[in-house]
Amino acid sequence: MASSGTLTKTKFETKSNRVKGLSFHPTRPWILTSLHNGAIELWDYRIKSLLHRFEEHEGPVRGIAFHSTQPLFVSGGDDYTIRVWNYKLRRRLFSLTGHLDYIRTVEFHHEYPWILSSSDDQTIRIWNWQSRICISILTGHNHYVMSASFHPKEDLVVSASLDQTIRVWDISGLRKKNLAPQTITDDGLRLPQNDLFGNADSVAKYVLEGHDRGVNWASFNHNLPLIISGSDDRCIKLWRMNETKAWEVDTLRGHTNNVSCVIFHPRQDLIISNSEDKTIRVWDLSRRIPIHTFRSDHDRFWVLAAHQEHNFFAAGHDSGLIVFKLEKERPAYVAHDSGQIFYVRDRHLRVYDATNDRETSLMLVRRAGSSNVNFRSLFYNHAERTVILCSDRDTAQYEIIQIPSDSKNSENVESRRGTGLAAVFLTRNRIAVLEKTSHIHLKDLKNESQKKITEVSADAIFQARTGRIIYRSEDKMVLFDVQQRKVVQELETPPIKFVHWTDSHVALIGKDVVIIANNNLEQQTLVRELNIKSGAWDDNGVFIYNTSNHLKYCLPNGDTGIIRTLDVPVYIAYVKGNKIYCVDRECRIRIIAVDTTEYVFKLALYQQKFNQVLKMVKESNLIGQSIIAYLQKKGHPKVALHFVREPKVRFNLALECGNLEIALECAKEVDDKDCWNRLATEALRQGNHQVVEMAYQRTRNFEKLSFLYLINGNIRNLRKMLAIAEKRDDVFGRFHNALYLGDVHERIRMLESAGQIPLAIATAVNHGLHEVAQALSKSTNEDEILSYIKKDASLLFPPIPVSRNRDNWPLLSVSKPVFESPFGLATEVGTTAEEEACWNVEDDIIIDEDGQPLDSTLTLDDSLEDRVDEPNQWNDYELEFGTDVKLTNEGYFVPPTAGTPAWHHWSSSPLAADHLAAGSITTALDLLNKQISVVNFAPLKQLVMMHVMSSRVLVGGLNGVPPLSFALQQRLEVAKSWPVLPITLPPLIERLKLGYSATTAGKFSEAIAHFQHVLHSVPFLVVDSRQDANQVKELIAQ
């Protein structure tokens, strides 16, 4: 009996103009659609995004097809032309002309460079797309040719026409004729050739008659000598052929309007058809009866396409296309902690033992007459050696099977069947059954009723700890204690498909989400992914899950990563050590060896098992930018230092963790000015003036070096800086150094040499040096200068240091990091007594009452004078006041680095609004482009900036201190909470009402502004429940 309903296994839908042609790419998740408005659209149905739109045809495009190996596709339309495109270059390569009416279908040959086209001019043409000429014209139909296609293996073509016939053409002679010399006309048409006996290279082999009206579609079976056809007489006819004849086998009736398209399933004995009666029907080829009917509310279906490798089908209708599967490909299986994996294959319940790598057939489970039952889930009771097999929701059946101890007695085992949407084990001898009424029925292993729980309304149930179940109710998961009949915990989630338990945690898997919670269903972390297939816990408490293309892991703190890529889709059953045991779609065990080092290392770091971390750092080959970035993100740059050998990266990490020893070592190796400047900044922050001095010397930053000597009280080196400035003829340098030293005579000499005689006189007079002033005033009017000098002016001299700062400034003393001792990282910045001697730190200086130095030794020392007098030594003004700095490993420690901000994990969300809240505008715009194909972001600028600016709040602190930044989070008690977003659903509903009111009042420009604001805001709207999501859909539809 046929089941009826909507397509519940829909993978992708689009809304567009009427779709007249479809084609799947053979290897990539792409589908081409040709539209009635003349456009061709290329979609990625996996990420649900429009990749490109081709618009060159004039009028509807009815035929479209990918090439099997080349980056080409062909299209045919109502403009009588066939166009060949390159989708990598995203442009048309050339056009083929010759048809005299609308072109209905086009197709590439699977082996030869041929294109097959059918047209309303009553002909079928075969073109060579390499030479770009027509090589054969098939004539014989006397009405529109609605479809034509090559046989997948033989040299045959089948065509369907409104003349009520199907024709099978033999093109075996075309291959030979195409290689022989041909006659080419002036317009590029290659005429069909005849051999010596008058036979053409393409001949009609069979003419099939039987339809009462025009035939819209005909296609070959991939493996059997069968042809299927659909007609305006609402019938589908099955034909068989052999070497000499073809005949009608059967007629399939059920459609109530014209049959638009009909095809064979590529791998199963099924027929799929669609019709203008708004239905897609699936037929059993062997019994020739309908088994499924899928209905559309409003749209007529026009075309079908099947993927040759995967279980994907597509149907084009009046308002777009739909990509769907006929059945779920996930096999029913369950794994036990002992390493046993139970599954059903070839009508037998089998068990695979991971400990000895052996498969055993336990018993036959599919009896005669039950071949159409597809098991959806399987549960195992180890104590009673019992399994529960649940069918799909359409059949709504379950079986309780006692596994025999001896496989020889498996034929005598009786299964106890019941009706229910699902069934799970509750205790060792009781089960819970979800009835169609959404209530839960408790039964024993004999399938006898015990009691009902009517206060529960559930969509699905899942196995939990003994005496408890988890059930799904609308948009939440509920942990329910059956014995006490009370709700233990509720958790709002997207629709959940699978639940996996470990000793302390539970993983809830949805289509695009993984939620990790504790045993009481309290959420700890949430990970969003696309198209999650399955998952399992490993021995370390790490959840391993997979998508269509990747194996991934999720730590209890929410950190995720990729373990490896997958060649084919698999379903994880059991994880042991570095082996992952999976079940493929053919229900065979696949063992995947993986490297667990990365996530075990991250887990040990999260659990603060530092001894294990240190051991892995020493013994494992943990190298890569991802590990380094992770350690930096988690506040462990000291550990990251041991994975890096490149000096520039090591320098950055050393600065981040405040390790001046390694930073100084790397700076010497890199010898880059920017590195020295950054090192000086960090050393100054830590108060290590010796490293600062060396960095300033290497960068020849004389101004900062002089100021450093001033604040350190290093008068001797300040004198040297004055001599260097004089040698460099640096006027301002001489003035500043003389000012720092309080050397009035030097300042007067500098002003005099610079030609600033009035300033020199004023300086001399201010400091009581009248004899010097008189000597300078010979060429200047001294009285005029003195008139500008205030009588009561007081002189400011720089303070003379009483205590010289011989050591570096003290640092904050903190507990020693666990990672430093084993690796010998520096923990103190300072110098020994011997190293101090290398810096030539002066002794105490004797000063007079006015603070002027009396010690004559404050002039340049002999060594410096010698270097200054040698021109070659000062071409580059290299400073070498002492030996290189050597840092010790004793003393104070560097303060710990700052923690991770609350918004750091927001950028890992699949929602554009969360990325904007994190301040990552680029990734947010990329997501909008991939998810809803936004290309013009200008209208969204105001909303984007609103999200960025409203995600955090600034709180002012002390004067001169930057304000503190706090993230606005939804739940402060959760470690990784999502941001509070400025756009919510109620204001949008009110804005929509304002738009309606403005429309009613005739204020159309105001109404348009309201409606545009609603549409622009919806991509940034985040809802928490399915009810709100449905309300948003209604909001857009209105």
Side-chain angles (χ1 to χ4, degrees), residues 919-934:
S920 182
I921 298 178
T922 302
T923 56
L925 300 185
D926 289 340
L927 277 176
L928 290 176
N929 176 260
K930 293 178 181 179
Q931 293 174 351
I932 58 175
S933 304
V934 178

Side-chain angles (χ1 to χ4, degrees), residues 62-342:
R62 302 178 186 273
I64 196 78
F66 271 114
H67 194 279
S68 59
T69 57
Q70 299 297 320
L72 305 175
F73 69 88
V74 60
S75 62
D78 286 5
D79 54 3
Y80 309 168
T81 61
I82 298 170
R83 300 176 189 263
V84 178
W85 312 73
N86 186 308
Y87 57 74
K88 286 187 176 179
L89 302 177
R90 298 191 175 185
R91 64 180 179 87
R92 174 179 58 85
L93 299 180
F94 56 88
S95 299
L96 302 174
T97 58
H99 278 296
L100 305 177
D101 209 333
Y102 298 164
I103 298 172
R104 294 285 178 173
T105 61
V106 289
E107 182 182 341
F108 281 106
H109 194 274
H110 61 279
E111 182 178 356
Y112 295 100
W114 296 345
I115 294 174
L116 179 68
S117 61
S118 62
S119 171
D120 286 358
D121 63 7
Q122 304 178 15
T123 66
I124 301 119
R125 296 188 180 227
I126 301 177
W127 313 75
N128 188 314
W129 58 265
Q130 290 181 341
S131 59
R132 305 183 185 181
I133 57 176
C134 178
I135 59 176
S136 184
I137 303 176
L138 283 62
T139 59
H141 286 293
N142 53 33
H143 209 303
Y144 299 163
V145 183
M146 301 299 290
S147 74
S149 60
F150 287 112
H151 193 283
K153 297 178 182 178
E154 301 178 14
D155 293 327
L156 298 174
V157 170
V158 63
S159 60
S161 172
L162 293 187
D163 63 6
Q164 303 179 16
T165 66
I166 300 104
R167 291 178 180 254
V168 179
W169 308 81
D170 186 352
I171 59 171
S172 57
L174 183 61
R175 187 182 311 161
K176 302 175 184 178
K177 297 292 183 179
N178 192 41
L179 299 177
Q182 305 291 324
T183 302
I184 303 177
T185 62
D186 295 337
D187 59 357
L189 176 64
R190 178 169 292 177
L191 298 178
Q193 300 294 303
N194 296 333
D195 59 18
L196 296 176
F197 300 98
N199 294 325
D201 49 11
S202 302
V203 297
K205 189 173 184 180
Y206 309 119
V207 178
L208 307 178
E209 298 178 336
H211 283 289
D212 297 331
R213 293 189 178 181
V215 185
N216 293 315
W217 203 272
S219 56
F220 287 112
N221 188 287
H222 294 73
N223 302 308
L224 301 174
L226 298 175
I227 297 172
I228 197 74
S229 61
S231 167
D232 286 346
D233 61 7
R234 307 176 183 178
C235 295
I236 298 170
K237 289 187 178 290
L238 182 66
W239 314 78
R240 181 177 289 272
M241 61 182 181
N242 57 22
E243 293 298 327
T244 58
K245 63 178 181 178
W247 64 96
E248 180 182 341
V249 176
D250 205 348
T251 300
L252 310 180
R253 295 180 173 85
H255 283 292
T256 59
N257 207 331
N258 302 337
V259 180
S260 306
C261 186
V262 58
I263 58 175
F264 287 103
H265 193 293
R267 293 168 299 281
Q268 299 182 25
D269 291 337
L270 298 175
I271 299 169
I272 303 99
S273 64
N274 65 8
S275 167
E276 294 180 40
D277 63 5
K278 306 174 185 177
T279 65
I280 300 173
R281 296 176 186 259
V282 182
W283 312 76
D284 189 308
L285 177 60
S286 58
R287 295 183 292 167
R288 294 187 281 280
I289 60 172
I291 56 177
H292 295 292
T293 301
F294 307 107
R295 302 184 186 277
S296 173
D297 295 332
H298 308 289
D299 300 313
R300 297 169 295 174
F301 289 100
W302 297 102
V303 65
L304 281 169
H307 200 292
Q308 298 303 310
E309 300 295 333
H310 304 292
N311 183 30
F312 286 116
F313 297 88
H317 51 77
D318 284 332
S319 58
L321 75 94
I322 181 171
V323 178
F324 61 95
K325 291 183 176 182
L326 291 180
E327 60 184 6
K328 291 186 177 180
E329 297 172 292
R330 179 190 176 99
Y333 69 92
V334 66
H336 189 259
D337 295 338
S338 61
Q340 291 181 314
I341 305 173
F342 296 85

Side-chain angles (χ1 to χ4, degrees), residues 1001-1020:
K1003 301 177 182 179
F1004 298 115
S1005 58
E1006 183 179 341
I1008 291 174
H1010 288 306
F1011 294 146
Q1012 285 181 342
H1013 176 80
V1014 172
L1015 291 176
H1016 291 164
S1017 301
V1018 166
F1020 305 105

Side-chain angles (χ1 to χ4, degrees), residues 2 393 440 447 620 630 633 661 672 837 923 987 1030:
R393 297 182 73 91
I440 296 176
N447 205 28
S620 303
Y630 180 83
K633 176 182 176 182
E661 180 183 6
D672 179 69
T923 56
N1030 295 332

